[in-house]
């Protein structure tokens, strides 16, 4: 059984011929490809980006972010604005918090949420412009 991600030497040799790459063995080319990934993105940064994209992949979470762009809000304000129940709002807030997109701010017994980093909002606005 082949390991996931395993490419046979013969397949790499065929690829080298198709791409007309000469003077390089399949092993050298495989090593070059692995080294190429190291220079593209660090694993931790890729993980963080994936969490952010996952967090903004839901329309409700985008609406929450856009509301919080205007002002800090507590759960009950978000419930009213979005016409949703508390457990669902809390679920989405947890998702956004874990992605590092929002931060809770405690004021006495109240917890208000605010945007942690406005860069994500600019990215969302750019995507909305393209849609």
């Amino acid at each position: 059984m082949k390991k996931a991600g395993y490419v046979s030497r013969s397949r790499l040799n065929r690829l080298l011929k198709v791409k007309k790459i000469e003077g390089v063995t399949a092993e050298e080319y495989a090593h070059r490809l692995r080294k190429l990934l190291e220079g593209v993105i660090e694993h931790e940064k890729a993980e963080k980006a994936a969490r952010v994209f996952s967090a903004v992949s839901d329309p409700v979470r985008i609406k929450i972010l856009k509301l919080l762009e205007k002002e800090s809000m507590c759960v009950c304000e978000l419930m009213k604005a979005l016409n949703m129940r508390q457990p669902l709002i809390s679920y989405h807030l947890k998702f956004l918090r874990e992605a590092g997109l929002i931060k809770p701010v405690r004021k006495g017994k109240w917890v208000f949420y605010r945007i942690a980093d406005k860069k994500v909002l600019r990215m969302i606005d750019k995507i909305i412009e393209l849609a």
Side-chain angles (χ1 to χ4, degrees), residues 79-93:
M79 287 170 56
K80 195 65 173 172
L82 295 166
N83 194 29
M84 296 174 74
R85 294 171 42 138
Q86 181 271 325
L88 192 52
I89 295 291
S90 293
Y91 166 80
H92 288 296
L93 289 172

Side-chain angles (χ1 to χ4, degrees), residues 64-77:
I64 290 172
L65 289 170
K66 295 302 285 176
L67 285 167
L68 296 179
E69 178 181 30
K70 301 294 181 194
E71 63 184 74
S72 295
M73 293 185 171
C74 67
V75 172
C76 59
E77 291 172 306

